[in-house]
């Protein structure tokens, strides 16, 4: 099992607009390919212009396969174009996490 932990930062004052754009054009297609995330959440304290989501995969091959299918989907490509045009995002950080031996979650 691996976890893909992603943190995105929006330009100040645009996170609600970005979330609305994603909800309307990105959420369904992303879940169609990746399944439901472990969490998808806006930051409440600290950098309030950021949000986090975590997706779980069987292994790196499963992640690569699912993400490739999503990238090839015209609906996802349309969302990415809308997101780029809006220009709300300024930063993205990805981390691949592996559970420690004693974690049974």
């Amino acid at each position: 099992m691996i976890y893909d932990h992603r943190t995105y930062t929006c330009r100040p004052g645009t996170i609600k607009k970005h979330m609305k754009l994603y909800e309307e054009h990105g959420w369904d297609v992303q879940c169609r390919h990746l399944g439901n995330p472990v969490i998808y959440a806006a930051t409440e304290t600290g950098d309030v212009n950021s949000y986090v989501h975590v997706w779980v995969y069987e292994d790196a091959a499963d992640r690569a396969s699912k993400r490739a299918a999503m990238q090839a989907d015209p609906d996802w490509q349309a969302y990415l174009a809308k997101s780029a045009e809006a220009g709300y995002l300024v930063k993205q950080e990805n981390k691949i996490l592996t559970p420690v031996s004693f974690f049974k979650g």
Side-chain angles (χ1 to χ4, degrees):
M1 208 55 83
I2 63 171
Y3 295 85
D4 185 352
H5 177 280
R6 294 171 169 251
T7 303
Y8 292 83
T9 304
C10 294
R11 286 188 297 111
T14 66
I15 193 166
K16 288 182 181 179
K17 292 176 184 178
H18 176 72
M19 288 290 113
K20 183 73 172 160
L21 178 73
Y22 175 76
E23 180 183 13
E24 292 176 357
H25 302 283
W27 173 254
D28 288 339
V29 66
Q30 192 165 33
C31 289
R32 184 167 65 235
H33 291 284
L34 306 184
N36 290 324
V38 173
I39 190 165
Y40 205 111
T43 303
E44 182 68 26
T45 61
D47 185 356
V48 296
N49 297 303
S50 65
Y51 64 97
V52 172
H53 45 98
V54 178
W55 305 86
V56 63
Y57 302 97
E58 292 176 26
D59 52 30
D62 179 46
R63 178 182 179 272
S65 173
K66 287 178 177 177
R67 292 194 58 77
M70 182 177 70
Q71 293 297 333
D73 188 316
D75 292 339
W76 184 248
Q77 292 172 11
Y79 162 69
L80 292 179
K82 288 176 182 8
S83 179
E85 183 179 326
Y88 301 139
L89 294 175
V90 296
K91 183 179 173 187
Q92 173 183 347
E93 182 180 355
N94 296 33
K95 298 176 185 174
I96 300 298
L97 307 171
T98 57
V100 295
S101 63
F102 53 84
F103 179 70
K104 306 297 182 207

